[in-house]
Amino acid sequence: MSARRSDGGGGGIVVIGLGRFGCHLAASLNRMDREVLAVDRNPDQVQRFSAQLDRVVQADATEDGALRQLGVTSFGRAVVAIGASVEASVLTVLALVELGVPQIWARATSQKHAKILSSVGAHHVIFPEAETGERVAHLIVSRLLDFIEFDDDFAIATVRVPESLVGRTLLDLRPEERSGVRVIGAKAPGERFRYASDDTALAQGGLLVVEGGIDQVQRFAGRR
């Protein structure tokens, strides 16, 4: 087995809580060749994922002593993926703060939960279910192929080249045809994505990466 990347600056990544989100996260990080330590207090979960992940241990992550024994202080990042218990989630973040882990990511299940996590020291609070639900909703009701929404009504999306624009270059497009978006990448069939420029040709069956306001991106993707 090849050596795992430790990501420098204090080691790899600790994932605490092996529910659906935590196990998928740990497996994804493993596939990215990151050093991962997965922790769960449930022995059944530990047994279940021991064959899929490099390092899976049973421990009560709410106890800073248990985390210290696992060597968590040598890791640069920790993700608290616990969703079933707000108390366990908060206590785990507190334990990680006490140990001085440089970056603590924590999963929240509500706005109130997120406020508590931030107040006790989590550096990043995430809402995986809400973020995934909103993203999928945009994909279902539009012609977008992929979609990432940021703050302040801004999005980056992957769209098919509209039929009405095939055979032209970006320089040829009139302002109203751009729908207020900026094309930042393009992919012709059978080729790789490339940065877009004014002479980028819009090919039949090609893909574009565009950025702009959410309504503008959806309007551009909906062109025929």
Side-chain angles (χ1 to χ4, degrees), residues 13-133:
I13 304 161
V14 182
V15 176
I16 300 172
L18 290 176
R20 280 177 295 182
F21 172 63
C23 70
H24 284 298
L25 174 64
S28 296
L29 291 168
N30 250 18
R31 287 193 296 271
M32 294 167 66
D33 208 28
R34 265 47 179 190
E35 178 189 3
V36 178
L37 169 63
V39 182
D40 198 285
R41 69 194 307 173
N42 185 333
D44 293 334
Q45 288 296 88
V46 171
Q47 180 65 30
R48 178 181 176 189
F49 295 107
S50 60
Q52 302 175 35
L53 303 171
D54 287 346
R55 294 180 63 193
V56 188
V57 296
Q58 179 188 356
D60 183 353
T62 65
E63 299 289 340
D64 56 2
L67 294 177
R68 186 179 287 107
Q69 286 186 343
L70 293 176
V72 167
T73 53
S74 67
F75 286 75
R77 280 169 278 190
V79 182
V80 180
I82 300 168
S85 169
V86 171
E87 179 183 6
S89 167
V90 172
L91 290 177
T92 299
V93 170
L94 276 170
L96 293 168
V97 171
E98 289 292 321
L99 293 174
V101 175
Q103 283 194 49
I104 302 170
W105 295 68
R107 170 194 180 188
T109 55
S110 68
Q111 289 295 336
K112 185 177 292 186
H113 186 191
K115 276 189 171 183
I116 297 171
L117 292 170
S118 295
S119 67
V120 299
H123 303 106
H124 308 274
V125 177
I126 53 178
F127 294 85
E129 291 86 359
E131 292 164 5
T132 300

